[in-house]
Structure formats: structure tokens, C-alpha cells
Amino acid sequence: MLVSHDLAYISMKPTLLRSLLFAAMTCLAMGADAQQLPLQHFGQKEGLGNLSVTALAQDAGGYLWAATENGLFRFDGAAFRRYGAVQGLAETFVTALHIGRSGMWVGTYEQLYRFHDGRFAPVLLDGKKLRVWPGQKMAEGANGELLLVTGGRLLAITPSREGATVRGYFDQSRIQAQAELAAIGSIHADPDGDLWMACGRSLCHASGGRVDVKGEADGLPAEPWGSIVRDTGGTLWIRGEQRIFALPAGAGRFEERTPPGDVLRKRMLRTELHVDEQGRVLTNADPGLLRWELGRWETFGKDNGLNAGGGVMAILRDRERGTWMATRGRGLVHWLGYGNWENWTSAQGLPDDVIISVQRDRGERLHVGTRAGHALQLPGGRRFSAVPAPSALAGHQWASMALDGGGNLWAGTYSGLLLRHAPERGATELVAKLPLINQVLPDRKGRMWVATGGGLHVFDETAPAGAKPPAVEDPAAPGRHPGNPVTSGCMDRQGRLWFSSLTDVLGHDGRAWRVLPFGPAVGKGELEKLVCARDGGLWAISLDTLWRVQVDGTPAATRVDAPVLRERALHSVYEDSRGWLWVGTDVGLAVWNRSRWRMLNQTHGLSWNDLNGLGFYEDGDGSMWVVTSNGLSHILRPERLFELIEPTAVIEGVQRGEREIAGGAAPLPWSPDPMVFRLASLQFQNRQGLRYRVRLVGMDERWSESSLPEVRYAALPAGDYRFQFVAVDSETGESSAPVERRFSIAPPWWGGYPFYGLCAAATLFAFLLFHRFRLRALTRRERELAVLVRERTGELERSREELRMRALK
């Protein structure tokens, strides 16, 4: 029998030790939190001039603004632009930034500025500057005014065309009556207009003209508080330097929710509380970031790929649901796919970063097959642990997994080991040794079909360890043992089994085999992966082609020509319960929701772009697991992948030579300098498919396409022009609304009517002058001819006279 020499040892080994090891592994997994964060960093290489970012905001147009210790920067998704003294911002260290209904406000150690019409204007109170220190917050009042805390005082600032009106929010008599209002340190405004303020060492609540003070009698200790926020469930959160408290909606007392361990020890320039789209609260901490979820704190730090330098200073959620972190010394960090993508690597307990297969068992434990063996994540766990196994079975590449009727996990390895794992006991045994195993497939009759490099094998799910591997006669070549390689298989809704073998599809209906040869249809390709579709057909892939295979009626294989799959190496294919099609490639994953395709890669949150192995696994909640050659990804809500935001199109500026051209300007004088249009699309994800379609009506009616955000037109002739621009996502087909800039170019001095008139006048003058000279010449010639005629006539008369005289003689 083809049984390992350790098989007897494995079968007889006491289960107690295995159970203890499994229990230890279980405890380890339950006590750990982790995932590998898909982060994109922006620093000086990308144009962010200073790496200590103090505050973040996004304006109504979509631009992202980053305040730093050396200037204010605006980000359009492709490049950063610095704003400073040229625009009126005199100081370089920006301490605070706020954008809301009241406009854009920027604070420095010296003064507060309002940004209006492209300029920063100082805001003064009684002729004095308003200094804004780090941690002094701004908020929006119910009537649209800006609420600013500065020097312990709360101010209300109302913008106007002329500037801004500043007043104290509380009058002096009110402050004298309640001394806590003289030392306000932070502010939060509820949508209904209620204000929550850190006042002194207490919390003040202003509502309906009253101010109530919350303190120790309400469960809140006397401390200086820094940040206040309300989550989507109505709970009010308040944080000091080292403690966090929460007041649940409708509750009368605060609850302490300080994270366990010494993770709030380091002093921050500012404490940060942020509520994400799912209502979870995030705060900065010594490791980097903490997130409150399901009644406990989750930690994100260096082990998750987040290196926050001197700490996270601010958190922002943009309009594309992206999450940004401002760090002290490490620049700007974009958490890609926040709330929808999770990633795991060996840093989170997996035996290897190369993932091959995924399977959840009946006990809701998640099993992952890697290049270096088998890992497990317990229900509700946030970390993986390698599953103990006998040395002869450990470390193999788990290529495929499937559950049998008894809940046991069967696994096939690339080294040909067919394994059976009992999840409840944590025990793994060797069933048989076969050629390279591509897939393990259970049927409805309690059998396990094994597709190998040497044909098909079938086992009863109760087969004992060391069972003789019964080979299935190759239906395409009867009598041949071993058969052709079988690369994959599936079971359709009728219970029929289908397998791919080179260019043949093998079908088994429980009684007989059916061979469907597709060699002529697929040409030189071979059907490497095959899955069953809900409509009774099949999906199959060869190296670079997706095929739609019809098995009922007249067999046919039809090539699927999807633009996102062109010039891609295809590794895997899967149809989920929604009927969506997932295709793994060498540059990411393509997904089709029956109406449109999307291409997703690391820029969206995927762990790695190369999808090898079995590619995909759908969990019981409809979420999708994606295996890559550098980590495991989990898409929590696949439907969000198609919640596309229309690209924006912005003409950031037009320049000719050294001159910036404003919109609606008078006709431009002609110049040999090129006209340069700077373009942008204010999206921060999926930029790899971004294209710019442009045309210049008046010169060329045709559209041209480019990936560069700059268009040049050299030495345009005189005329009226319309520059039109559309931003297009080439992978989704989404396009922005068109943007247009009209302009005119006056003719050069030699090309206008005055010059033409001058030329005409000069020509006429030259003609008249020439005509005059010609008349003079003709008159002079006539005179000369007249003289000559008279002289000749005289000569002739004298000659005749001489002849007459001679004749008389």
C-alpha cells in the first residue's frame, strides 16, 4: 500500500497530546487581535513637503487638505500643492484646519485665517490676533457659524463678504456665574445645536440656554478632557490623555472604556476621536491606532503594517469612504478599502504568505491552506495559528479542501498527500498518497473525488487511513492508467460531476461518463480551471481566456471577450451564490455582477495582485475570501465594490508662458508660447484606470485620450476655442460630467485688419508712386523724342536743300 512509514505512528499516537496542543493554539488565537492593513503612504517623494501632518480636511470640491508643521498642502489625488506666504498664510506651522458650511479656516500658533477667493485673510478680535494651539478644536454651530476654542474661551465667528465677525459665545456675566466656562478646552456640536465642552476638569453641556456640568457625580472623574465625539448609536465619547469614558444614549452615568494595558501613556500633541461609517470609534494610541468594536478595543500598529512615527494626529473619512491618517513624522497614510477589505499575512499567524485554499468547517472555524501547511482562525478571532500536525504531514502545501458528510475536513497537497482533519479534535491523518492533487470534491453519495496529475481517484468518506487509492478509468482514454491530468472539478445543481482534463470536459451523472472534447474550440489552450454555473452551464479558463461552456444540448465553448481580462494571465474562476463571476489574474481580480466588470487590485485594498491557488471562497454571510501569493484578503461586503462614485473633472489651471490664464478673460494676445491645461480628477482610489479625454473645439473636433494630467497646444492661431475635458475610468466605464473652458486668441499685429489696411494703403501708394514715376518717364521720353524728331526733321530739310542747290548748279 502507498502509505507513509509514519502512518502507524500517526494512527496510534495518543489523542491527549494533540488535544492539549490544539487547546493551547485555541487560547493563543482567542487572545490576539490583528490584520494586515492595506496602507498607501504619501511623503516628500509624492510632493508632501513636510512629514509631520497635524490636521486633515476635505473641501466641497473634493480636494484633500493636509496641515503640516511647514505649510498647508492641497492634494488632488495625483499631486500636492503647497499654500503659504504667496497666498497670504504668513506662518509655516499650521496647528488646526476646519472646513464646513462656514468655509475653510486655518489656525497657526500666531493667528486664525479664513480662506476666501484663493487668499488667506487673518481673523481678528478687537484688533488682536486669535492664536490657535494644537488640540484647540473647531466646530460648526447650528446657524452655520464657526465655533473656536482659543485661550480657554469659546468664540463664535460669522463669515461675511467683508471678512468675519467674532464674538464671545458666552457673555461675561454667564462666565462669572459658571466659572467652568472660563476654561474651555474642547468643543463638540450635536446636529440639534447642543454643545458639549471640556470645561476645566469637567464636561459642560449647553442646551436650551442652560449649561449643565457633568463630573464625578455622573461617573466622570475630574480630569482635563481633550476630545469629544458622538457615535452613530448616540453614545457620547470623551477622552483625556490616558483615559476614555462613554455616555450611552439615554444613560445617566458615564462608563469607563479606557483600553487595557499601558497604551495611552505617551503624550500626544492632540487626542483624536473619530467615528467611522459603521459607527465604530477610533482613537490614537501609543501603538498607532485603537478601534472599539463589539465591546472591546482592537489594536493596529507595527504588527499590522502601521508605523505612525510620533503618533496619529488626525483621522479623516473622505467622500469615497476612504480613511486617512495624519501622522507625526511619517506623512499621510491612506487606509485602502477601509471597512470592506481585511488582509492577513504571516505577521498575523499564517504559516506562510502564499495562500492556496480556504474552507470554513461546521464549527465556524476558518481553515487556510498555505505553502507551509494548515492554519486556523477560531470564530470571532482576529488572528490565525498554525495547526499542530505530525512531522510527516506538517508543512505541505494544502492545495484544496472540502468537507465530508461527517464534518471532517479533507485536504489534498501538491506533494500528493490526501489528508483528513477532524476539526473538533484537531487531529490530522494521512488517508492516501497520490500524484499531485489539484482538487478534492465531495458528491451527494458520501464519496470524495480527487483530481490529480495522474487522473481521478475516488474514496468513500469513511475510508480508513492508508486506504488503497482506487483510480477511476480515464473516460477519454479507456484502459489507460494513470489517466490524463485532471485539473479541477465541480458539482452542478443536478448533482452531476464535471471535471476538466486537458482540452476535454468529463461529465458523470452517477451512472455513466460523458466526454466533451473541446480541443478545436479552445485551440492550443488547455482548460485549467472549471466551475459550475447556476444555469447548468460551466465556466472554464485556459491560460489567458475565459470560456462559457455549454454542456446540455449541443456542447459548445464560447470565448468571453471582457476588456478587463485582455492580456491577463488567468489563474482561477468562481461563481458565487449571487451569480457573480470572480476571475483571478496576475494583476488582481476581476468581478462581474452580471451587468458590468470591475478590476480590483492593491490600490483598492487587495493584499497582493497575483492570485494563484484556488482563488476564491464564499463565506456563509456572502463575504468573499481571496487567496493571493502574498496574503489572504477578505471582502466583507462585495456589493460595495459596485457602489461607484462618478469621477470628477477639474481644470486646475491654464498657463501660457509664465502667465496664469483666468477663466472668462478678454481675448488673449497672440503668443508663440504653448497653452498648457492642468487637469485633475479628485478621486483617491482606482486611479490606475483613470484616463483624460480632451479636445479643443476650434482646432480639432476629435477626442484624444491620455493618462497624463497635462495637455499642451503650441502656438495656437487666432480664433475662438472651447477646451473640453472628461475624466474616464477605463476599467468601470464611468465618466465625469464634461468640463469646458472657453477662450479667444487675438490675431498677431501682422494678422489684424489695421495691418491689412496699412498693407493695402502702402500698396496703393506704391502703385500711385510707380504710376507717377512712369508718367514722368513717359513725358520725358516724349520730350526727348520730340527733340529728336525736330532735329532729324531739320537735318532732312537741310539735306534736301543741299541736294536742290547742287541740282541748280
Side-chain angles (χ1 to χ4, degrees), residues 308-388:
V312 174
M313 296 291 100
I315 305 169
L316 171 74
R317 181 168 68 94
D318 65 31
R319 64 185 186 184
E320 295 179 293
R321 295 177 172 171
T323 296
W324 299 79
M325 291 174 281
T327 72
R328 193 177 187 189
R330 302 289 292 191
L332 188 61
V333 181
H334 187 193
W335 186 337
L336 301 168
Y338 179 87
N340 199 34
W341 292 79
E342 296 178 336
N343 294 327
W344 282 268
T345 67
S346 56
Q348 288 77 47
L350 290 169
D352 198 277
D353 288 333
V354 178
I355 314 301
I356 308 175
S357 56
V358 179
Q359 178 70 51
R360 192 176 292 278
D361 65 29
R362 292 181 179 178
E364 295 301 315
R365 293 169 285 256
L366 187 71
H367 300 263
V368 176
T370 77
R371 187 177 62 173
H374 170 208
L376 178 67
Q377 185 187 84
L378 295 176
R382 305 296 292 169
R383 189 174 177 86
F384 286 90
S385 296
V387 178

Side-chain angles (χ1 to χ4, degrees), residues 194-463:
D194 283 10
L195 300 183
W196 295 85
M197 300 162 287
C199 51
R201 299 172 66 86
S202 304
L203 181 68
C204 292
H205 177 209
S207 176
R210 292 187 53 187
V211 178
D212 297 323
V213 180
K214 308 290 184 180
E216 293 183 350
D218 306 286
L220 189 66
E223 291 186 15
W225 301 103
S227 298
I228 310 169
V229 73
R230 189 180 295 279
D231 67 22
T232 54
T235 297
L236 187 74
W237 294 73
I238 181 169
R239 174 178 169 181
E241 285 193 356
Q242 297 182 338
R243 301 180 76 179
I244 299 175
F245 281 77
L247 180 65
R253 289 185 61 83
F254 283 83
E255 302 173 357
E256 183 166 8
R257 294 184 180 175
T258 302
D262 191 16
V263 295
L264 300 181
R265 178 170 52 88
K266 292 181 173 58
R267 191 174 188 276
M268 300 284 184
L269 272 178
R270 58 179 287 179
T271 58
E272 176 74 2
L273 285 173
H274 172 81
V275 179
D276 69 12
E277 187 181 26
Q278 288 78 42
R280 299 171 295 189
V281 174
L282 293 91
T283 190
N284 50 355
D286 298 351
L289 199 65
L290 302 177
R291 184 171 68 188
W292 178 265
E293 184 173 15
L294 300 177
R296 66 189 185 96
W297 290 102
E298 189 175 6
T299 304
F300 301 100
K302 290 183 179 180
D303 290 342
N304 312 96
L306 174 62
N307 189 340
V312 174
M313 296 291 100
I315 305 169
L316 171 74
R317 181 168 68 94
D318 65 31
R319 64 185 186 184
E320 295 179 293
R321 295 177 172 171
T323 296
W324 299 79
M325 291 174 281
T327 72
R328 193 177 187 189
R330 302 289 292 191
L332 188 61
V333 181
H334 187 193
W335 186 337
L336 301 168
Y338 179 87
N340 199 34
W341 292 79
E342 296 178 336
N343 294 327
W344 282 268
T345 67
S346 56
Q348 288 77 47
L350 290 169
D352 198 277
D353 288 333
V354 178
I355 314 301
I356 308 175
S357 56
V358 179
Q359 178 70 51
R360 192 176 292 278
D361 65 29
R362 292 181 179 178
E364 295 301 315
R365 293 169 285 256
L366 187 71
H367 300 263
V368 176
T370 77
R371 187 177 62 173
H374 170 208
L376 178 67
Q377 185 187 84
L378 295 176
R382 305 296 292 169
R383 189 174 177 86
F384 286 90
S385 296
V387 178
S391 58
L393 307 182
H396 290 271
Q397 302 177 76
W398 281 41
S400 174
M401 291 185 283
L403 292 176
D404 65 20
N408 292 314
L409 182 70
W410 290 61
T413 73
Y414 287 146
S415 53
L417 302 183
L418 181 61
L419 307 175
R420 183 167 51 206
H421 176 77
E424 299 299 333
R425 296 183 293 112
T428 303
E429 62 181 355
L430 176 65
V431 178
K433 187 168 179 59
L434 306 170
L436 179 149
I437 297 175
N438 292 309
Q439 188 171 355
V440 179
L441 178 68
D443 66 12
R444 295 177 179 177
K445 297 181 178 180
R447 295 174 298 185
M448 307 299 290
W449 296 77
V450 185
T452 78
L456 277 172
H457 300 265
V458 62
F459 294 82
D460 189 276
E461 64 182 27
T462 61

Side-chain angles (χ1 to χ4, degrees), residues 668-670 717-719 745-753 756:
L668 305 172
W670 184 89
I745 297 179
W749 64 268
W750 63 85
Y753 290 114
Y756 296 152

Side-chain angles (χ1 to χ4, degrees), residues 86 151 243 309 494 590 717:
V86 175
R243 301 180 76 179
Q494 301 177 41

Side-chain angles (χ1 to χ4, degrees), residues 40 94 147 186 201 208 270 280 295 340 361 383 409 454 506 521 526 539 568 592 648 669 682 691 715 732 753:
Q40 183 180 13
V94 182
L147 302 178
S186 186
R201 299 172 66 86
R270 58 179 287 179
R280 299 171 295 189
N340 199 34
D361 65 29
R383 189 174 177 86
L409 182 70
L506 313 177
E526 294 182 355
W539 297 100
R568 312 288 200 222
W592 180 53
T648 57
L682 303 181
R691 297 293 182 269
T732 65
Y753 290 114

Side-chain angles (χ1 to χ4, degrees), residues 56-73:
L56 295 172
Q58 188 174 27
D59 64 24
Y63 286 100
L64 191 70
W65 294 80
T68 77
E69 294 182 3
N70 187 18
L72 180 67
F73 292 83

Side-chain angles (χ1 to χ4, degrees), residues 701-715:
E701 301 295 324
R702 295 173 301 176
W703 289 92
S704 60
E705 187 172 294
S706 172
S707 60
L708 300 176
E710 189 174 276
V711 181
R712 291 173 175 265
Y713 297 99

Side-chain angles (χ1 to χ4, degrees), residues 746-766:
W749 64 268
W750 63 85
Y753 290 114
F755 179 76
Y756 296 152
L758 180 63
C759 290
T763 302
L764 179 60
F765 177 75

